[in-house]
Structure formats: C-alpha cells, structure tokens
Amino acid sequence: MNWLIAILQTTLFVLLAPLLAGWVKCCKCRLQNRKAPSVFQPYRDLLKLNCKQPVVAEQASWLFTKAPYIIFSATVLAATVVPFIAVDLPTSASADVIVMVGFFAFARFFLPLAGLDVGTAFGGMGSSREMTISSLAEPAMLMAIFTLTMTASTTNLSFAITHVLNEGLVLRPSFVFALAALTLVAVAETGRIPVDNPATHLELTMIHEAMILEYSGRHLALIEWASQLKLMLYGVLIANIFFPWGIAEAFSMQALAYGLLAIIGKLALLAIFLAIAETLVAKMRLFRVQEFLSFAYLLGLLGLLSHIILEAAR
C-alpha cells in the first residue's frame, strides 16, 4: 500500500505540472489586462506536439534525439525524491537533497550538450549561458537547503520536513534567509523573469529557448514537460520545506486528500506571487544575472551563519 501511494504521488507530480504552468500564465494574463488562455492549454500543447513527427537536422547525432528522454526521465526521478502529499513513504530512504541536486545536474548536463550538438549559433549561445547560470545557482541552492538540513540534523528531505512539523510554528531568521535564497534560485533555474523570459524568441535574450530551438514534435513536448515539472519541483520544495503544514503524516484517505488539497492551495498562491513578480519586474541584462545569484548565495550564507550563531548562543 505504501508503495502504491509513492507511485501515486509521483504520478500526480508529473500530471499536475502542466496545470501549474497554465495557472501561472493565466494569472499573468489577468494582471496584464489580456485575455487569458485556459489553465488546461499546456495539456493541449503537449498533446499537439506529441501528435507531430519530430524533424531532426542531418548533422544531428544520437545525442540530440536521446537527450529529451534522458532529461525527462531525470526530472521525473527528481520528483520521486521530493515529498509531495505525504512523508515517510518508501521512497523517503532516497529522499536526500544531494540526490535531488544530482538529478537536476544530470538533466542539465544533457540539455546544453543537445543544444551544442547541431552546431547552430543559437544552441551554442544558449548552452554557454545556461552553464554559466547553473554554476552560480547550484551553490546558492545547496547553501539554502543546508540551512534547513542543519536545523533538522539530516539531509533527508522527508525527515527534515517531519522535524519542522514537530517543532511547530517557530520564527527562525535562518529560515527567512534560506527562503529568500531558494526563491531567487528557483527563478533562475526555471528560466523565469527577471533572469529569462520563457515566452520570448529574441536572439539576444534567449537562454533556455535557444537550446531547444531545433527541437520539434514529441522531443520538444518532453523537454517542455520536463521544464514544467522542474517549475513544480521548486514550488513544492518551497511550499513543503518552509510551510509544511497540511502534508500527510499518516496514510489514511482523509490525511492524503487533505495533503493534496493543502499542496494545491500552496502552489496556487506561489503561482500568483510569481505572476505578480513577473508583471512588476523587467528582465535584467545577462551580465546582471551573476549579481542576482551572488545575492542569493549571500542570503543562503547569512541563513547558515545565523543558524550557527543561534546554536552557539544556546
């Protein structure tokens, strides 16, 4: 039964990711006084792309065609690590923050390689920018997550969330810094404004879109789905690590249903905040991104130091 719940949790993760992306787009359109598409539009887009035959360049190698499957599989494996509606599932043994970062890095390794494989100028430019941003974002993310894991004395996400739940509502300065740092990293890693604009194809501003410009059909569908899943992964991390109330600790139907409703509500609120931020903030220049992520690293470091100082004062 526990394994069935774990499989159900991962399935919900994968199936609800396009819905979150559709909700963000709908909120942005409403805030910008534009007619909003249906929240189910990402599902229609994925279905349309899956029905099309992919077009592959003549000089593309096997890496170009296999990379979408590898990227999507690695992102799904990362989803199995993050607690979604319940903790203490059989997958909790592997729910380690280092494992999650490893899956992210594995997917990120193949995406720039695929962008470079065809040999276009846009692919090389996007891959170079992606690796630059990733090299700055990963240390900041680890610093933010380690603040939580030092509080719970474990790098296991499930155990850390349970520890925060058992301690109750406690105001920790370290968590405030870590939350701000992880939010900035999530914006950069998912290619949102002000770091990147997922809706643009302007050659001077593209980062993620430049790497996948040569993809089409089901290959493009898998990459887009993995991108939506990554956005949801960061949203669930922020919601369940810093605001874990509502997540199921028992495996009864009532507790699981309440946990599902709680995470849907928290993700909906986070999506509204993201839409408001993207509406109010303009995209920054590429050379300002390193300052943006350096600030995120500084916030994570301040969170870690404030935790150490408070523990030493006790």
Side-chain angles (χ1 to χ4, degrees):
M1 184 62 183
N2 293 353
W3 277 105
L4 287 175
I5 296 173
I7 295 172
L8 175 63
Q9 176 174 268
T10 305
T11 305
L12 285 173
F13 227 126
V14 175
L15 294 180
L16 292 178
L19 184 63
L20 178 64
W23 174 241
V24 173
K25 186 175 294 185
C26 180
C27 292
K28 283 183 65 177
C29 289
R30 296 291 186 187
L31 290 169
Q32 295 170 1
N33 291 325
R34 295 188 287 122
K35 186 176 180 180
S38 170
V39 293
F40 301 105
Q41 186 61 41
Y43 293 104
R44 300 190 186 106
D45 294 339
L46 292 176
L47 181 61
K48 179 182 69 175
L49 289 172
N50 274 311
C51 294
K52 291 185 176 182
Q53 183 179 359
V55 179
V56 181
E58 292 181 357
Q59 64 269 29
S61 69
W62 63 269
L63 180 65
F64 184 81
T65 56
K66 298 297 186 291
Y69 301 96
I70 296 173
I71 293 166
F72 182 76
S73 301
T75 312
V76 172
L77 287 174
T80 63
V81 171
V82 180
F84 183 50
I85 59 174
V87 292
D88 296 331
L89 290 172
T91 53
S92 297
S94 61
D96 194 279
V97 63
I98 308 299
V99 175
M100 181 194 67
V101 174
F103 283 134
F104 281 158
F106 187 73
R108 190 185 299 113
F109 174 74
F110 279 93
L111 185 58
L113 280 182
L116 290 168
D117 186 71
V118 182
T120 60
F122 284 163
M125 178 185 67
S127 299
S128 174
R129 292 176 176 181
E130 175 72 13
M131 296 310 295
T132 301
I133 292 174
S134 301
S135 64
L136 297 171
E138 280 187 4
M141 180 175 67
L142 286 172
M143 192 64 67
I145 297 291
F146 282 157
T147 302
L148 170 76
T149 55
M150 286 188 67
T151 304
S153 301
T154 178
T155 57
N156 188 288
L157 288 172
S158 183
F159 296 159
I161 291 171
T162 304
H163 175 81
V164 176
L165 276 172
N166 293 335
E167 285 202 348
L169 184 60
V170 179
L171 180 61
R172 301 180 181 89
S174 58
F175 273 32
V176 176
F177 287 118
L179 172 60
L182 189 59
T183 302
L184 296 182
V185 170
V187 169
E189 284 282 83
T190 54
R192 311 299 302 193
I193 295 175
V195 176
D196 192 14
N197 187 355
T200 187
H201 284 86
L202 296 175
E203 57 198 51
L204 296 179
T205 61
M206 289 190 298
I207 298 177
H208 180 266
E209 295 297 322
M211 294 183 291
I212 64 174
L213 205 58
E214 297 297 321
Y215 278 107
S216 60
R218 61 177 178 273
H219 295 159
L220 180 59
L222 286 172
I223 293 179
E224 292 288 354
W225 201 350
S227 177
Q228 295 164 358
L229 187 55
K230 191 174 184 180
L231 174 65
M232 188 163 178
L233 274 166
Y234 274 100
V236 172
L237 273 176
I238 293 172
N240 281 345
I241 287 178
F242 299 100
F243 312 101
W245 298 278
I247 192 168
E249 296 183 87
F251 298 145
S252 64
M253 291 300 297
Q254 183 179 1
L256 293 174
Y258 183 72
L260 180 60
L261 290 175
I263 190 61
I264 289 175
K266 288 185 281 189
L267 287 175
L269 286 175
L270 286 175
I272 292 173
F273 291 142
L274 176 61
I276 292 172
E278 290 191 342
T279 303
L280 296 177
V281 179
K283 186 184 179 302
M284 66 174 62
R285 295 176 58 197
L286 179 67
F287 298 109
R288 299 293 300 274
V289 175
Q290 58 183 352
E291 299 175 10
F292 179 85
L293 291 173
S294 297
F295 181 63
Y297 180 82
L298 178 61
L299 287 173
L301 183 61
L302 287 173
L304 192 65
L305 291 176
S306 61
H307 170 75
I308 294 173
I309 291 171
L310 287 175
E311 287 296 318
R314 291 179 182 178

